[in-house]
């Protein structure tokens, strides 16, 4: 349920409404002060009479039921876009934020050369996996803490903030102490213990969509992190499993405008895992920016043929530079166009 306050409502009225709600057993509030509207979201078990009780209070304009199961993640609770700040980088605003780097951290030389190359091409954040989820137990599973140390060194040398994955609740503190953004991978999007653990840290969380996760399930996973106290969540569409085997996954670009509609959280795209093929990464990166993505995460390797993981979808330095040109051109072309159509009446098609 949300309470929409009147445009001229005072701080005292807002506080009085919050106090009234929180005086009820098991109810909490979440305040969103927007440019146009102040909204008080209510979380907890709502009883039928609550709506009319709240409608009577001073300063209240409307009390509306929210039927969606996620609340804090929903646009109803928080009409303005959320911007996640990582140092000087703002994720969720007008400028697309590009995260780039190797799938796995393999060596100091590999990571540092990639970090310098992606920075020179205009990337804002360095990616690199130290703890790698792999389908086969015989594949390279990452350098672990040594990989985290190399990421910290690359940040020191380049000034780029870093994003890296955490796979277990036990590793959350270690990963968060080295990383600027903590990534939850596709396979762990519904690992609820892990979501509870990253809810306790003060670093932003990059939450990837699962291989077979619906929008609602994905937003409920974001809700876990937010309900646990961490509101800095960035969503990432990274492709879903479909019947098509040619591409590794099917990058669901409709997810981007859908998430804009359903949620206030920033949404980025991962065309590397979303396609599995290096030559599809740039076209899908440009398409994702055109649909309104707040950024991209891209795999780049000095020598993709020799990568210890995901070489087939990794870009060379030169191809990453070309991708950045494409992204800039699309952003320029779409800057003045609203990606969202005006509300229209529902037209029956049959
Ligand atoms: C990754 O980013 O390296 C990764 C493993 O991604 P995903 O969880 O989307 O498969
Ligand atoms: Mn990868």
């Amino acid at each position: 349920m949300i309470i929409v306050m009147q445009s001229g409502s005072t701080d005292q009225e807002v506080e009085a409404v919050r106090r009234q709600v929180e005086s009820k057993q098991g109810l909490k509030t979440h305040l969103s002060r927007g440019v146009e509207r102040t909204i008080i979201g209510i979380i907890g078990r709502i009883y039928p009479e609550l709506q009319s009780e709240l409608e009577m209070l001073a300063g209240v304009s409307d009390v509306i039921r929210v039927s969606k199961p996620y609340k804090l993640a929903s646009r109803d609770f928080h009409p303005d876009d959320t911007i996640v700040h990582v140092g000087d980088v703002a994720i969720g605003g007008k400028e697309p934020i590009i995260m780039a780097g190797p799938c796995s951290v393999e060596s100091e030389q590999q990571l540092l050369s990639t970090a310098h190359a992606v920075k020179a091409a205009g990337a804002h954040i360095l990616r690199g996996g130290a703890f790698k989820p792999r389908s086969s137990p015989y594949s390279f599973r990452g350098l672990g803490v040594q990989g985290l140390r190399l990421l910290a060194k690359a940040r020191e040398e380049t000034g780029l903030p870093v994003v890296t994955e955490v796979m277990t609740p036990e590793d959350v503190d270690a990963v968060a102490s080295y990383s600027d953004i903590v990534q939850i991978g596709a396979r762990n999007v519904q690992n609820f213990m892990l979501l509870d653990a990253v809810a306790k840290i003060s670093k932003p969380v990059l939450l990837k969509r699962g291989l077979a996760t619906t929008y609602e399930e994905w937003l409920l996973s974001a809700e876990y992190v937010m309900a646990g106290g961490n509101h800095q969540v960035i969503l990432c569409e990274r492709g879903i499993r479909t019947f098509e085997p040619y591409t590794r996954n099917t990058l669901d670009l409709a997810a981007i405008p859908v998430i804009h509609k359903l949620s206030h959280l920033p949404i980025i795209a991962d065309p590397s895992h979303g396609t599995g093929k290096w030559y599809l990464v740039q076209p899908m990166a440009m398409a994702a920016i055109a649909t309104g993505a707040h950024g991209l995460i891209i795999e780049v390797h000095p020598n993709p043929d020799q990568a210890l993981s995901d070489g087939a979808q990794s870009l060379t330095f030169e191809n990453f530079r070309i991708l950045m040109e494409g992204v800039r051109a699309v952003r320029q072309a779409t800057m003045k166009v609203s990606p969202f159509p005006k509300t229209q009446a529902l037209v029956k098609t049959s």
Side-chain angles (χ1 to χ4, degrees), residues 38-344:
T38 294
I39 283 176
I40 303 170
I42 307 176
I43 304 144
R45 200 179 279 275
I46 300 219
Y47 54 92
E49 304 79 36
L50 184 63
Q51 185 160 4
S52 46
E53 283 174 29
L54 297 173
E55 274 165 355
M56 300 185 317
L57 300 180
V60 171
S61 164
D62 258 318
V63 180
I64 304 165
R65 278 186 164 274
V66 176
S67 54
K68 299 179 187 84
Y70 48 87
K71 312 287 180 194
L72 296 169
S74 82
R75 195 135 336 239
D76 301 326
F77 262 53
H78 193 289
D80 293 342
D81 288 348
T82 284
I83 312 260
V84 172
H85 294 275
V86 181
D88 298 339
V89 182
I91 307 159
K94 286 205 181 324
E95 187 189 359
I97 297 306
I98 313 301
M99 310 179 186
C103 176
S104 304
V105 177
E106 298 171 6
S107 69
E108 180 164 338
Q109 214 276 328
Q110 172 247 20
L111 184 66
L112 292 182
S113 63
T114 310
H116 284 291
V118 299
K119 182 177 178 174
H124 307 85
I125 292 175
L126 176 66
R127 66 146 288 150
F131 295 96
K132 295 300 302 176
R134 304 305 304 275
S135 299
S136 163
Y138 307 118
S139 301
F140 176 62
R141 292 165 73 180
L143 297 179
V145 175
Q146 194 203 335
L148 297 177
R149 289 201 194 104
L150 292 176
L151 285 164
K153 176 153 196 200
R155 171 179 51 213
E156 220 169 274
E157 275 207 12
T158 60
L160 293 176
V162 302
V163 53
T164 195
E165 179 164 352
V166 65
M167 286 171 53
T168 68
E170 298 75 50
D171 291 330
V172 166
D173 287 340
V175 172
S177 72
Y178 286 98
S179 188
D180 300 286
I181 304 175
V182 172
Q183 176 175 324
I184 302 288
R187 289 153 195 83
N188 272 320
V189 65
Q190 289 192 309
N191 180 340
F192 302 115
M193 306 300 272
L194 185 57
L195 298 176
D196 281 342
V198 295
K200 300 278 176 293
I201 61 174
S202 56
K203 299 275 170 83
V205 173
L206 178 65
L207 182 63
K208 288 198 154 191
R209 183 180 182 186
L211 279 72
T213 314
T214 62
Y215 302 141
E216 185 169 294
E217 288 164 342
W218 185 18
L219 289 170
L220 277 167
S221 293
E223 188 81 9
Y224 261 87
V225 180
M226 299 175 83
N230 188 349
H231 286 240
Q232 303 179 85
V233 179
I234 305 155
L235 299 167
C236 176
E237 162 59 41
R238 50 78 71 203
I240 50 174
R241 187 162 284 186
T242 68
F243 56 83
E244 177 54 66
Y246 184 84
T247 43
R248 180 178 179 184
N249 291 293
T250 297
L251 188 67
D252 175 16
L253 287 180
I256 292 159
V258 170
I259 293 296
H260 275 291
K261 178 172 165 52
L262 299 180
S263 179
H264 53 91
L265 296 172
I267 165 89
I268 69 165
D270 175 350
S272 305
H273 294 89
T275 63
K277 291 182 158 59
W278 68 267
Y279 54 88
L280 298 178
V281 173
Q282 194 230 22
M284 295 309 276
M286 293 199 296
I289 295 300
T291 61
H294 293 117
L296 300 167
I297 184 163
I298 306 288
E299 288 187 341
V300 180
H301 195 282
N303 203 341
D305 292 353
Q306 260 131 59
L308 297 182
S309 61
D310 288 350
Q313 68 195 34
S314 297
L315 300 185
T316 58
F317 297 167
E318 176 60 3
N319 278 334
F320 179 67
R321 207 186 49 70
I322 292 169
L323 175 142
M324 289 297 289
E325 276 173 15
V327 164
R328 277 188 211 105
V330 171
R331 187 66 195 121
Q332 203 66 38
T334 54
M335 189 94 84
K336 294 203 176 71
V337 184
S338 163
F340 306 110
K342 284 214 179 338
T343 313
Q344 59 185 23

